[in-house]
Amino acid sequence: SVFPTQSSSATFISPETAAEYETAPTQTPPPTPAATTSDLLRSEIPEQQPLKSIETSSRIREVKDPNSYAALVYDPPNVDTMSDLPPLLLVLHGAAQNQEPSLWKAMASPSGEHAGLPMQLLASNTAPVELAANFCVASPYSLGKSSFYQDPRDKMLRFLQYLASQQILTFDPTRIFLFGFSDGATEAIELATSRKFRGAIVASYGFTGPSLPFMALMRLEGLAFWVFHAADDVIFNVENSDRLVTALRETNRVPSR
């Protein structure tokens, strides 16, 4: 494997497969100091990095792995002179028709099905400078399927392996962050149970069950999460994210505010 993991197991734990894991033995990772994903993301940004406008659209490329996904990828303009390899932000879009054969129209156009996500902001030169100057970004596309949730979870790991092994992007394999929106947020949580990621940004979390399985929560212990959800979301109730945050706080013994 090109990118390491914090655990020897690459098992994914989803609500649908929870039963077979509930009684399986596990090695609970030791407690780690509480940290937010926003703290971790900010820690990836060098203090000396000047905050100035960056032209980003020309640095977006289209790639395709025949064994996983096609994607748009981005690397920061100063990647060759960075003292350390930059982190990677893996962006998982939400559910849609996903029948558009053009990646650029689907992922980078302001009128596309996945407008408003980081890759579209980079394509329009409107992404936050902190992101554009300091992170590699990869946005795979679930062409022909309504969401990534219809694929096995290890397909996304194959895509990451492709990015690293083929040197598609020059990034630090120990600093990979997830960004999931809607159905992509649900997938992000399940991917995080593989222990291959530093943290996850979760927007409009879609899992409607009462709670995550106990084993899943144990495998999420010590990871950082940044959870967003609009109170007036008409697709997925904000209570989905409220339950997730409560469960993560209890698992990591973080006091409620």
Side-chain angles (χ1 to χ4, degrees), residues 75 114 172 237:
D75 53 8
H114 304 296
D172 185 342
N237 195 299

Side-chain angles (χ1 to χ4, degrees), residues 3-219:
F3 52 94
T5 177
Q6 300 174 20
S7 169
S8 61
S9 172
T11 300
F12 301 96
I13 302 179
S14 67
E16 290 76 12
T17 60
E20 63 181 287
Y21 298 107
E22 286 294 348
T23 57
T26 183
Q27 294 182 347
T28 302
T32 56
T36 66
T37 303
S38 58
D39 292 333
L40 284 178
L41 290 172
R42 291 189 184 99
S43 73
E44 308 295 349
I45 301 172
E47 292 184 4
Q48 69 273 18
Q49 174 63 49
L51 301 182
K52 59 183 179 179
S53 177
I54 297 177
E55 194 283 320
T56 54
S57 59
S58 63
R59 301 195 62 82
I60 297 174
R61 294 173 285 127
E62 183 174 338
V63 299
K64 184 177 182 179
D65 175 24
N67 297 314
S68 58
Y69 297 105
L72 294 181
V73 299
Y74 167 88
D75 53 8
N78 58 337
V79 65
D80 294 330
T81 60
M82 287 181 171
S83 57
D84 297 313
L85 294 177
L88 172 68
L89 184 67
L90 178 64
V91 179
L92 308 179
H93 63 67
Q97 294 183 5
N98 296 327
Q99 299 298 321
E100 173 54 63
S102 168
L103 270 174
W104 291 88
K105 290 182 179 179
M107 306 291 289
S109 170
S111 60
E113 287 187 313
H114 304 296
L117 296 181
M119 190 57 71
Q120 188 268 309
L121 299 181
L122 289 165
S124 61
N125 300 308
T126 58
V129 177
E130 293 85 353
L131 172 68
N134 298 287
F135 285 79
C136 291
V137 181
S139 295
Y141 180 41
S142 182
L143 177 63
K145 296 184 179 180
S146 63
S147 77
F148 296 114
Y149 212 71
Q150 295 184 349
D151 288 325
R153 304 298 170 263
D154 62 358
K155 185 174 180 178
M156 193 62 68
L157 293 189
R158 292 201 302 272
F159 173 71
L160 278 177
Q161 187 73 27
Y162 160 76
L163 292 181
S165 63
Q166 300 299 314
Q167 299 183 331
I168 303 300
L169 291 171
T170 303
F171 62 92
D172 185 342
T174 69
R175 297 190 295 161
I176 304 176
F177 292 87
L178 291 157
F179 180 111
F181 172 70
S182 193
D183 272 21
T186 306
E187 166 123 341
I189 291 294
E190 294 186 14
L191 285 171
T193 67
S194 71
R195 307 289 296 177
K196 292 179 179 290
F197 302 90
R198 287 286 299 275
I201 301 167
V202 180
S204 300
Y205 183 54
F207 175 52
T208 58
S211 179
L212 287 172
F214 172 77
M215 290 295 295
L217 288 169
M218 290 300 97
R219 292 181 68 86

